[in-house]
Amino acid sequence: MSSIEDVRAVVVDIPAGQVISYGQIGTMIGMGPRQVGHAMTLLNDDVPWWRVVYADGTPSSCHHGTALELLRAEQTPMVGERVDVQLARYIPPILVT
């Protein structure tokens, strides 16, 4: 059974300048994108939450919209106010649980 800890395990390993979508995480650990989003709300701020984006590269709007600022500070490839997911996509190793 997937859990918040499975989501944490993926998110903590995302390198600066790269992103992964809610759906990608969900596919990896057997959850839907909305379930991943809910799990993300339960994680502490000690994980790089801003590196998890919508499939189209739109950053999360939580934390008062600071995700865009944090992504730019990490020099994440952007197209306007969206992440260039072709250039910035993080492809994690297979999660073993």
Side-chain angles (χ1 to χ4, degrees):
M1 184 71 179
S2 298
S3 71
I4 187 172
E5 290 308 314
D6 293 327
V7 173
R8 175 187 292 281
V10 174
V11 176
V12 298
D13 287 339
I14 305 168
Q18 294 185 339
V19 298
I20 192 169
S21 72
Y22 294 97
Q24 285 176 277
I25 294 173
T27 297
M28 290 176 58
I29 63 174
M31 295 173 78
R34 289 183 184 200
Q35 291 173 303
V36 172
H38 177 70
M40 292 286 298
T41 67
L42 302 174
L43 295 174
N44 296 328
D45 285 342
D46 64 339
V47 298
W49 56 268
W50 60 93
R51 296 179 188 153
V52 180
V53 299
Y54 294 99
D56 68 355
T58 302
S60 172
S61 60
C62 62
H63 293 84
H64 307 289
T66 57
L68 184 60
E69 172 183 323
L70 292 166
L71 290 164
R72 286 185 173 149
E74 293 181 345
Q75 298 181 336
T76 306
M78 306 290 290
V79 176
E81 294 191 348
R82 291 185 181 177
V83 174
D84 184 334
V85 291
Q86 296 295 343
L87 295 177
R89 184 182 317 267
Y90 171 60
I91 302 173
I94 296 174
L95 182 68
V96 179
T97 57

